[in-house]
């Protein structure tokens, strides 16, 4: 076993200095785990380079000594992808922060990978642009981690996943080679588009150190409505109408099933029910967001669209936000899921991809299957169905420990039957690795392993994750 006087730690200290290399009692508690459900693991050391060359040097040293390395960004992942491994080095990007350049002509931003997403958003806004990637963990998550997991969020229906916002990247390979490809061109077909090897690979093929992000025009108007619908057929009709009539204005389409709605508005503190007093048993609730560039035109267009939906009967009831405070209140119902741990205690969260037209069938069968397998099991369903992403949480109230594997068997068994994905936007890490075969063929997994072996033949970079 390596000790504090080991050659690898000595070499890291000689190259990077004591500020960048923390070992023994100096290892911060935050670097022992991510937001996944399993317990912390103390790494051999935490290495915190402040520049890409330092990341490359650290990887060269670890490669020479055969020591595994686990990359860490903001540590907000939910699947164990940044959870350390005993005896490995945790390579944290927490000091690799900063906005290096905003190019107005190219509508791009060059940023270091450890920079928090919220810092990126604010820098874009200050320059008159918009960075559409947005997650609840925006203040903590790092842009490099967002790219390494190909994060999604609420606006995928309009702007795409994280990979759609990247023009170029810089990455350190497992042997310490620094590959700089900070492309700013929207059109660049000069050979393989190598950035896509590393975006979504969860730090198993390389460590992203810098990125060139594609920026968008800053919205000048925000329109949000909460719609109550009779059934899922109405949800699909509303989605089709929003795509057809709102066109590029449509930025979010969030659906909440009745059980979720009841829990969010009835059990989570400080969440306001916009339909308070209406006792109609609706079959679904939809939050629609549209972003535009002309407030004088956009809001009347949005309201006229919604009035037509009310007139034809697609939407029995709706509330339109009249201020940014009301926008926040309506989004508060959808974001209430972040409070479920404090309200309901331990539960098992899921992030799955499904055919949009069959999501209601999935939710109904999944809830019934969980109750049959585990009497008393509660499950709540919600998600960004416009991009095929359903979230759910499940738990057995009062259970001394949650039957995680049994719940996963029901949920992922149905995902496989429906031809879906076990991970829509959260990644695989270690948590979903046993279920990868439910969404990928043996041939696909074999090709993933071939890529892993080609770039990391000794298997030192984030070993045991994904494949």
């Amino acid at each position: 076993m390596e000790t504090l006087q080991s050659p690898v730690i000595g070499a890291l200290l000689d190259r990077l200095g004591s500020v960048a290399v923390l070992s023994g009692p100096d290892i911060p508690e935050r670097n022992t785990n991510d937001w996944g459900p399993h317990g912390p693991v103390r790494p051999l050391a935490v290495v915190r380079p402040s520049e890409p060359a330092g990341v490359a040097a650290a990887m060269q040293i670890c490669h020479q000594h055969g020591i595994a390395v686990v990359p860490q960004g903001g540590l907000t992942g939910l699947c164990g992808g940044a959870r350390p491994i005993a005896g490995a080095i945790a390579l944290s990007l927490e000091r690799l922060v900063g906005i290096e350049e905003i190019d107005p002509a190219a509508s791009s931003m060059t940023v270091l990978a450890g920079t928090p997403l919220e810092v990126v958003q604010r820098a874009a806004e200050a320059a008159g642009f918009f960075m559409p990637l947005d997650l609840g963990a925006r203040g903590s998550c790092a842009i490099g981690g967002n790219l390494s997991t190909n994060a999604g969020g609420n606006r995928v229906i309009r702007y795409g996943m994280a990979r759609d916002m990247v023009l170029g990247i810089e990455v350190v390979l497992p042997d310490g080679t620094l590959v700089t490809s900070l492309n700013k061109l929207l059109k660049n077909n000069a050979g393989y588009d190598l950035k896509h090897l590393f975006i979504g690979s969860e730090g198993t093929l390389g460590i992203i150190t810098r990125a060139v992000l594609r920026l968008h025009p800053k919205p000048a108007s925000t329109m949000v409505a909460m719609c109550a619908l009779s059934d899922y057929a109405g949800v699909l009709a509303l989605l089709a109408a929003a795509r057809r009539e709102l066109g590029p204005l449509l930025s979010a389409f969030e659906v909440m099933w009745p059980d979720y709605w009841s829990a969010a508005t009835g059990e989570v503190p400080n969440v306001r029910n916009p339909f308070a007093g209406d006792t109609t048993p609706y079959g679904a609730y939809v939050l629609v967001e549209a972003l535009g560039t002309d407030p004088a035109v956009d809001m009347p267009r949005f309201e006229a669209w919604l009035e037509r939906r009310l007139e034809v009967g697609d939407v029995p009831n709706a509330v339109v936000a009249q201020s940014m405070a009301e926008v926040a209140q309506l989004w508060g119902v959808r974001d209430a899921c972040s409070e479920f741990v404090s309200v309901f205690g331990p539960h098992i969260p899921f992030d799955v991809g499904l055919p949009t037209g069959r999501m209601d069938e999935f939710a109904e069968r999944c809830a019934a299957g969980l109750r049959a397998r585990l009497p008393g099991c509660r499950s709540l369903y919600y998600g960004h169905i416009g991009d095929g992403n359903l979230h759910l949480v499940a738990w057995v109230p009062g259970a001394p420990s949650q039957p995680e594997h049994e719940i996963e068997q029901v949920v992922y068994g149905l995902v496989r039957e429906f031809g879906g994905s076990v991970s829509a936007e959260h990644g695989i890490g270690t948590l979903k690795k046993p279920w990868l075969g439910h969404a990928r063929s043996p041939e696909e997994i074999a090709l993933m392993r071939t890529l892993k072996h080609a770039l990391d033949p000794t298997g030192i970079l984030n070993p045991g994750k994904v494949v």
Side-chain angles (χ1 to χ4, degrees):
M1 178 180 291
E2 300 285 345
T3 68
L4 295 181
Q5 304 303 316
S6 68
V8 66
I9 292 182
L12 289 167
L13 283 167
D14 288 344
R15 174 61 179 83
L16 300 174
S18 58
V19 173
V21 181
L22 306 176
S23 59
D26 295 328
I27 294 176
E29 193 66 28
R30 72 177 296 272
N31 294 103
T32 63
N33 208 353
D34 58 14
W35 286 2
H38 301 302
V41 175
R42 183 166 290 272
L44 175 67
V46 175
V47 178
R48 309 179 304 159
S50 61
E51 57 183 5
V55 178
M59 283 307 308
Q60 288 170 358
I61 292 168
C62 291
H63 184 261
Q64 291 166 1
H65 290 82
I67 299 296
V69 176
V70 177
Q72 294 184 337
L75 293 164
T76 60
L78 300 173
C79 298
R83 183 170 179 255
I85 298 169
I89 298 294
L91 198 153
S92 172
L93 302 182
E94 61 194 86
R95 297 175 66 223
L96 194 71
V97 297
I99 309 297
E100 293 193 329
E101 180 194 45
I102 295 178
D103 185 339
S107 296
S108 72
M109 173 191 294
T110 304
V111 58
L112 290 166
T115 308
L117 175 59
E118 190 170 38
V119 173
V120 174
Q121 292 172 329
R122 289 178 176 175
E125 183 178 13
F129 289 98
F130 181 54
M131 175 57 182
L133 181 64
D134 191 36
L135 313 171
R138 66 186 67 85
S140 304
C141 64
I143 190 66
N146 299 150
L147 302 186
S148 73
T149 56
N150 190 29
N154 299 327
R155 299 190 177 107
V156 172
I157 191 173
R158 175 166 172 179
Y159 296 101
M161 299 285 282
R163 72 169 65 252
D164 298 300
M165 305 172 198
V166 182
L167 295 172
I169 64 168
E170 179 181 78
V171 62
V172 175
L173 300 182
D175 66 358
T177 301
L178 182 65
V179 179
T180 300
S181 183
L182 297 175
N183 167 71
K184 290 184 183 180
L185 304 177
L186 190 58
K187 289 184 174 181
N188 187 347
N189 280 334
Y192 304 140
D193 196 347
L194 296 175
K195 65 178 179 286
H196 291 300
L197 273 177
F198 305 99
I199 299 171
S201 70
E202 301 182 48
T204 61
L205 302 181
I207 302 174
I208 297 171
T209 52
R210 290 194 289 175
V212 180
L213 304 175
R214 182 183 180 188
L215 302 178
H216 291 264
K218 182 179 178 180
S221 59
T222 300
M223 292 74 65
V224 172
M226 188 72 78
C227 304
L229 299 114
S230 301
D231 51 30
Y232 193 71
V235 172
L236 295 177
L238 184 64
L239 176 59
R243 284 173 162 159
R244 182 177 62 249
E245 299 177 36
L246 294 178
L249 293 179
L250 180 64
S251 56
F253 193 91
E254 303 291 309
V255 179
M256 294 153 278
W257 272 257
D259 285 349
Y260 174 94
W261 184 268
S262 296
T265 60
E267 299 180 68
V268 177
N270 303 318
V271 174
R272 177 179 172 270
N273 185 348
F275 301 113
D278 185 348
T279 60
T280 306
Y282 294 112
Y285 300 84
V286 177
L287 184 147
V288 182
E289 179 192 79
L291 300 176
T293 57
D294 188 343
V297 173
D298 298 331
M299 180 57 86
R301 177 180 175 183
F302 184 79
E303 291 179 338
W305 166 77
L306 189 56
E307 287 173 5
R308 287 194 296 272
R309 306 275 51 90
L310 289 163
E311 289 171 1
V312 300
D314 286 351
V315 180
N317 199 358
V319 173
V320 178
Q322 300 299 319
S323 66
M324 292 308 295
E326 291 184 3
V327 166
Q329 288 177 348
L330 294 183
W331 270 107
V333 183
R334 170 58 180 84
D335 293 338
C337 56
S338 63
E339 303 297 324
F340 283 173
V341 170
S342 60
V343 175
F344 302 121
H347 60 269
I348 314 300
F350 293 89
D351 153 54
V352 299
L354 293 163
T356 300
R358 301 188 66 191
M359 283 191 180
D360 190 52
E361 179 189 355
F362 176 91
E364 183 177 345
R365 288 185 56 188
C366 190
L370 288 170
R371 288 192 299 268
R373 179 77 174 268
L374 300 162
C377 183
R378 288 187 69 182
S379 55
L380 311 175
Y381 302 81
Y382 57 104
H384 336 282
I385 76 153
D387 52 45
N389 184 188
L390 179 72
H391 294 289
L392 69 106
V393 296
W395 75 100
V396 178
S401 62
Q402 291 300 318
E404 181 178 349
H405 187 68
E406 290 85 348
I407 291 174
E408 289 177 337
Q409 283 182 316
V410 173
V411 174
Y412 291 139
L414 281 170
V415 168
R416 177 169 58 180
E417 179 184 334
F418 278 65
S421 171
V422 298
S423 179
E425 61 179 355
H426 290 170
I428 296 296
T430 56
L431 191 66
K432 297 184 181 182
K433 185 177 177 180
W435 307 101
L436 184 60
H438 280 45
R440 297 293 192 187
S441 70
E443 293 78 12
E444 288 176 306
I445 294 174
L447 182 55
M448 292 180 195
R449 288 173 177 159
T450 297
L451 288 170
K452 170 67 174 173
H453 182 72
L455 292 174
D456 186 15
T458 60
I460 69 165
L461 190 53
N462 221 4
K465 313 292 176 66
V466 186
V467 294

